[in-house]
């Protein structure tokens, strides 16, 4: 049996190694269009490769995928983060968790993952073809003809692992095979808020903010980071992921809401401030910070509420109190534009999931053609979820059922 793997990235190598292990007598060839293998793996996670996440409930794990959640939930029953950890550990690479759930090779460098994939594929006899861009796939009876560098090569099985493409044209060669393509838009980015005074607080973060897109139901909670161009941090990245298509439609011009104290609503915040007033009548506003806000943020929020930091709590009138509470739990900023999050970015969109048989990852349109990785309309939030979906879909595809 001859199998072609199109794409020499994360899912391509995972598929190639597992295919060769499942079918030792088969011929497995990777075709990579560039002159480099596994380039995203090498730069991933800031050069550390965040291979998966330690979340141990499959249901919660799946919720980290704005696109693909339901299909992945079933696939994780067959290959999940625990299987990923074992897969690497069985091959001598220890995977360790950080406090926030992200998991990395113990060596703390993505080179370890790269080296493992290269040596495993070499030892198993996987053929690797660089500078080999596949330009078309044609069904020929039970076989598939792969057009590469002007040559037509016949294969029994083909696994497409070509990753995301920022442009719809990048999927043209697959459209002709009847697969519906969801137009690609970026996911995992940070928000620009030009000319806003708050950017002077760059570097400052709050551990649990609630951020939302006004006029939609999109919201997320988590750490919020103020940068010199706007807002970043897990809460914003998650919001950009769940809102990827909606925000693209808005051309990245929208109003975002921020509750600086997470899920606490107006009444709760008012109670909190009221209790400070009751017990600290004479203290000045800047002296006592609700929710343990960082000093500079508290001064900024007071100023934004038109309050002097020198004012004693006892002199806070009802109107002023309401305004302050409103700013704390219902602040609002105009976002215009986005900035790529350099640690990780992915494509929302790709092969429509209706085109795939998720028991096998085989195309419903072309027999013996399989898909894995980011080329599918599957993507997750940051934290190792994108690699996990690449490993899982590649593992299932490599069964070649
Ligand atoms: C900077 C950065 C950091 C990231 N860090 C993390 C992280 O730490 N954790 C995480 O979970 N996710 C991370 N991601 C996301 C993760 O890298 C991707 O989701 C993952 O690499 C997808 O794997 P893939 O094999 O589907 O695609 P890719 O890794 O993109 O590989 C696709 C390969 O196919 C090749 N190719 C494309 N078209 C053709 C063609 N026609 N013929 C032949 N070859 C072709 C490409 O050149 C490429 O080598 C990061 C992404 C970026 C950009």
């Amino acid at each position: 049996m001859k199998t072609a793997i199109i794409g020499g990235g994360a899912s391509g190598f995972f598929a190639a190694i597992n295919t060769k292990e499942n079918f030792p007598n088969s011929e497995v060839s990777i075709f990579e269009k560039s002159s480099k293998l596994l380039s995203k793996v090498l730069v991933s996670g800031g050069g550390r490769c965040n291979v998966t996440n330690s979340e141990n409930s499959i249901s919660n794990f799946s919720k980290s995928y704005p696109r693909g959640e339901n299909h992945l939930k079933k696939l994780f029953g067959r290959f999940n983060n625990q299987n990923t950890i074992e897969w690497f550990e069985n091959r001598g690479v220890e995977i360790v968790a950080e406090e926030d759930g992200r998991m990395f090779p113990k060596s703390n460098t993505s080179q370890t993952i790269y080296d493992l994939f290269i040596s495993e594929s070499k030892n198993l006899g996987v053929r690797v073809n660089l500078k080999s861009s596949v330009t078309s796939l044609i069904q020929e009876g039970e076989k598939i003809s792969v057009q590469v560098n002007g040559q037509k090569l016949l294969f029994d099985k083909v696994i497409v692992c070509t990753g995301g493409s920022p442009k719809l044209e990048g999927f043209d060669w697959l459209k002709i095979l009847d697969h519906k393509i969801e137009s690609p838009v970026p996911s995992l980015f940070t928000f620009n808020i030009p000319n806003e005074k708050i950017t002077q607080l760059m570097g400052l973060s709050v551990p649990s903010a609630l951020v939302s897109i006004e006029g939609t139901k999109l919201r997320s909670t988590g750490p919020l980071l103020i940068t010199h161009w706007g807002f970043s941090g897990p809460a914003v990245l998650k919001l950009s992921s769940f809102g990827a298509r909606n925000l693209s439609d808005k051309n990245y011009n929208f109003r975002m809401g921020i509750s600086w104290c997470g899920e606490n609503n107006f009444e709760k915040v008012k109670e909190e401030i009221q209790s400070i007033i009751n017990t600290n009548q004479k203290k000045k506003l800047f002296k006592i910070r609700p929710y343990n806000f960082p000093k500079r943020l508290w001064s900024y929020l007071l100023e934004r509420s038109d309050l002097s930091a020198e004012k004693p709590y006892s002199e806070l009138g009802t109107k002023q109190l309401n305004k302050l509470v409103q700013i704390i739990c219902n602040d609002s900023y105009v976002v215009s534009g986005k900035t790529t999050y350099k640690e990780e970015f992915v494509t929302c969109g790709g092969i429509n999931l209706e085109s795939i048989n998720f028991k096998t990852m085989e195309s419903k349109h072309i027999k013996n053609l399989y898909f894995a990785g980011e080329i599918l309309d599957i993507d997750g939030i940051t934290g190792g979820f994108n690699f996990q979906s690449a490993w899982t879909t590649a593992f299932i595809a490599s069964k070649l059922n």
Side-chain angles (χ1 to χ4, degrees), residues 201-206 224-227 260 294-298:
L201 304 185
M202 62 187 164
L204 200 145
S205 65
V206 288
L224 173 68
L225 173 69
I226 301 165
T227 65
W260 295 99
K295 272 186 195 153
R296 281 162 64 222
L297 177 65
W298 181 230

Side-chain angles (χ1 to χ4, degrees), residues 162-374:
T162 47
S165 163
K167 291 199 179 132
L168 192 56
E169 301 87 86
F171 295 96
D172 279 352
W173 63 294
L174 292 163
K175 242 192 208 162
I176 48 168
L177 301 176
D178 280 348
H179 298 104
K180 200 179 152 213
I181 311 292
E182 294 301 329
S183 62
V185 295
S187 179
L188 298 179
F189 47 85
T190 68
F191 299 166
N192 297 355
I193 45 160
N195 311 319
E196 271 279 2
K197 203 174 171 192
I198 194 163
T199 54
Q200 289 171 7
L201 304 185
M202 62 187 164
L204 200 145
S205 65
V206 288
S208 182
L210 186 154
V211 291
S212 56
I213 309 296
E214 290 183 10
T216 74
K217 287 187 175 152
L218 294 163
R219 63 212 295 274
S220 87
T221 51
L224 173 68
L225 173 69
I226 301 165
T227 65
H228 67 87
W229 66 88
F231 292 113
S232 180
V236 165
L237 293 167
K238 195 169 161 190
L239 193 60
S240 80
S241 175
F242 279 88
R245 203 160 286 287
N246 189 311
L247 298 181
S248 161
D249 291 344
K250 293 182 191 301
N251 205 17
Y252 309 103
N253 289 306
F254 57 94
R255 209 168 239 290
M256 80 180 280
I258 299 179
S259 165
W260 295 99
C261 55
E263 301 276 2
N264 289 299
N265 63 14
F266 190 90
E267 274 65 41
K268 283 243 174 79
V269 178
K270 200 165 176 178
E271 265 171 39
E272 167 83 9
I273 307 278
Q274 196 62 58
S275 82
I276 297 178
I277 295 174
N278 295 343
T279 46
N280 299 279
Q281 297 263 337
K282 290 198 177 123
K283 289 262 167 64
K284 291 181 175 166
L285 291 176
F286 79 89
K287 274 276 181 196
I288 301 197
R289 292 172 276 129
Y291 303 105
N292 211 11
F293 285 140
K295 272 186 195 153
R296 281 162 64 222
L297 177 65
W298 181 230
S299 300
Y300 166 83
L301 294 176
L302 289 173
E303 196 186 323
R304 198 162 162 77
S305 314
D306 297 321
L307 285 168
S308 158
E310 295 293 327
K311 200 181 188 69
Y313 267 97
S314 59
E315 288 178 21
L316 209 51
T318 313
K319 250 189 172 173
Q320 289 175 321
L321 173 64
N322 287 346
K323 186 163 183 185
L324 177 62
V325 172
Q326 186 73 6
I327 292 287
I328 292 174
C329 66
N330 213 355
D331 207 356
S332 172
Y333 294 85
V334 173
V335 176
S336 50
K338 60 174 172 50
T339 296
T340 304
Y341 176 61
K342 292 199 180 62
E343 291 262 304
E344 180 175 350
F345 50 89
V346 288
T347 308
C348 149
I351 301 282
N352 179 284
L353 305 185
E354 305 254 299
S355 304
I356 306 295
N357 171 358
F358 273 87
K359 290 203 169 84
T360 57
M361 299 313 295
E362 190 179 18
S363 158
K364 284 183 185 167
H365 306 289
I366 310 274
K367 199 168 183 291
N368 294 324
L369 178 67
Y370 302 78
F371 289 92
E374 210 182 305

Side-chain angles (χ1 to χ4, degrees), residues 59-187:
S59 175
N60 288 343
F61 204 104
S62 312
K63 287 199 176 83
S64 299
Y65 297 88
R67 288 148 292 272
E69 174 186 347
N70 291 336
H71 291 294
L72 284 174
K73 203 168 171 180
K74 289 185 196 132
L75 295 188
F76 288 150
R78 294 167 65 194
F79 193 87
N80 55 39
N81 53 348
Q82 288 313 315
N83 303 111
T84 299
I85 296 163
E86 278 162 31
W87 193 94
F88 282 104
E89 293 194 346
N90 288 342
R91 289 162 181 81
V93 172
E94 202 179 328
I95 305 292
V96 293
E98 299 207 334
E99 241 176 58
D100 60 5
R102 292 178 305 156
M103 301 195 80
F104 297 89
K106 197 177 177 197
S107 64
N108 227 0
T109 164
S110 44
Q111 189 69 40
T112 306
I113 305 296
Y114 175 93
D115 290 345
L116 174 73
F117 282 162
I118 298 295
S119 66
E120 284 284 298
S121 53
K122 206 171 178 182
N123 293 342
L124 288 163
V126 172
R127 300 173 180 197
V128 177
N129 304 278
L130 291 171
K131 294 188 182 166
S132 302
S133 180
V134 172
T135 46
S136 78
L137 299 173
I138 298 161
Q139 191 174 25
E140 294 199 6
E142 292 274 292
K143 294 189 191 269
I144 295 172
S145 152
V146 174
Q147 175 100 31
V148 53
N149 293 345
Q151 268 188 300
K152 266 188 177 179
L153 307 170
L154 266 193
F155 288 90
D156 300 290
K157 306 270 184 182
V158 173
I159 310 180
V160 181
C161 303
T162 47
S165 163
K167 291 199 179 132
L168 192 56
E169 301 87 86
F171 295 96
D172 279 352
W173 63 294
L174 292 163
K175 242 192 208 162
I176 48 168
L177 301 176
D178 280 348
H179 298 104
K180 200 179 152 213
I181 311 292
E182 294 301 329
S183 62
V185 295
S187 179

